Amino acid sequence: MAKLKLCVFISGRGSNLQSLIEACADDGYPAQIALVISNKAGIQGLERAKAAGIQTYVINIKDFNSPNSFDISMIEAIKSFNVDLICLAGYMRILSDNFVDHWHDRIVNIHPSLLPSFRGLDVQQRAIDAGVRFSGCTVHYVRRDMDTGPIILQAVVPVLNNDNAYTLTERILIQEHRIYPLAIKLIAQGRTTIKNERVLIDGATHPDSILINPEV
Ligand code: GAR
């Protein structure tokens, strides 16, 4: 069966990109990365892509005289690679409504919180400040509003008393690197369906364990 062709959007370190590169290195994985697009030059994620032999593009809105011409350039770049799915992996720019609509149900994102809680930036510190006992990460289809859209998978981590933004970020990131390749695999296998803005996953079961944090 033909592999799902991915275009990964990045803005920085690219550790989630790396987890996808490693998943795709397995012959049995049903997706492959066709290209990587960054909105910034000189970032670590671009080095990771190049080291894996993946075509990269830097498309910076500042180089365009209108948001519309920026959108057209992105859509054209992606079209020439026959991309099936766009994966936002730490892409820190808001996509235009036009772009999101063009790729409806074909853009996914990973976010380091249990959405719909803590959309936006600085979410690990905000989770600590809010005193929540659990945080985690979410893979979701992308809709017009930032960090919204049908949820595919979530992983939960405990928030510890002595956590700071760094320690919580690291704990969540380990789970991001597990659930992003998994979610894309499910999409590539044709196992996800969106119904009334909820995602159904063919053949999935649910955990029967309940967690209480802290344990007392
Ligand atoms: C990741 O934690 C990702 O979930 C987050 O940015 C980080 C990128 O790290 N994305 C968002 O906050 C999107 N709203 P990476 O460049 O090492 O993958």
Side-chain angles (χ1 to χ4, degrees):
M1 213 170 98
K3 293 194 178 208
L4 198 77
K5 282 194 171 180
L6 312 178
C7 174
V8 185
F9 279 36
I10 57 171
S11 299
R13 176 182 53 186
S15 71
N16 277 290
L17 166 66
Q18 188 66 42
S19 75
L20 297 178
I21 290 172
E22 285 165 21
C24 291
D26 180 344
D27 284 343
Y29 191 75
Q32 65 185 80
I33 303 173
L35 80 156
V36 167
I37 292 181
S38 168
N39 62 326
K40 283 186 192 164
I43 58 165
Q44 190 187 0
L46 285 170
E47 295 310 314
R48 296 183 196 262
K50 284 176 195 156
I54 299 166
Q55 172 83 52
T56 61
Y57 282 106
V58 176
I59 306 183
N60 187 338
I61 187 138
K62 291 195 189 112
D63 301 332
F64 295 84
N65 44 26
S66 75
N68 201 28
S69 57
F70 172 71
D71 277 3
I72 290 168
S73 170
M74 295 242 282
I75 288 169
E76 287 303 313
I78 296 165
K79 200 159 64 180
S80 63
F81 283 84
N82 293 321
V83 166
D84 301 302
L85 184 74
I86 294 174
C87 307
L88 309 183
Y91 185 67
M92 293 309 194
R93 240 196 72 78
I94 292 171
L95 297 167
S96 70
D97 289 351
N98 183 27
F99 187 87
V100 172
D101 292 349
H102 186 88
W103 286 90
H104 188 75
D105 288 351
R106 294 180 299 156
I107 311 177
V108 292
N109 180 42
I110 180 131
H111 182 75
S113 78
L114 295 175
L115 290 173
S117 294
F118 306 112
R119 295 164 53 197
L121 296 175
D122 206 15
V123 296
Q124 297 89 346
Q125 187 61 53
R126 284 166 49 212
I128 292 169
D129 293 345
V132 293
R133 299 302 196 182
F134 292 101
S135 185
C137 45
T138 304
V139 182
H140 63 99
Y141 286 101
V142 169
R143 295 292 182 256
R144 286 182 173 196
D145 287 338
M146 186 182 52
D147 300 326
T148 67
I151 291 170
I152 304 165
L153 291 177
Q154 293 185 309
V156 175
V157 305
V159 179
L160 311 186
N161 272 348
N162 56 0
D163 264 333
N164 54 43
Y166 177 79
T167 57
L168 182 58
T169 296
E170 288 297 299
R171 191 172 312 121
I172 294 171
L173 204 54
I174 292 168
Q175 303 311 318
E176 291 187 41
H177 299 161
R178 294 176 63 195
I179 68 169
Y180 212 11
L182 175 58
I184 291 165
K185 178 175 162 184
L186 294 171
I187 294 169
Q189 290 174 332
R191 291 172 63 187
T192 61
T193 318
I194 304 171
K195 201 173 171 198
N196 299 329
E197 292 298 85
R198 290 185 70 187
V199 179
L200 306 174
I201 300 176
D202 193 35
T205 57
H206 300 290
D208 55 11
S209 53
I210 304 293
L211 297 174
I212 296 175
N213 181 35
E215 290 174 334
V216 286

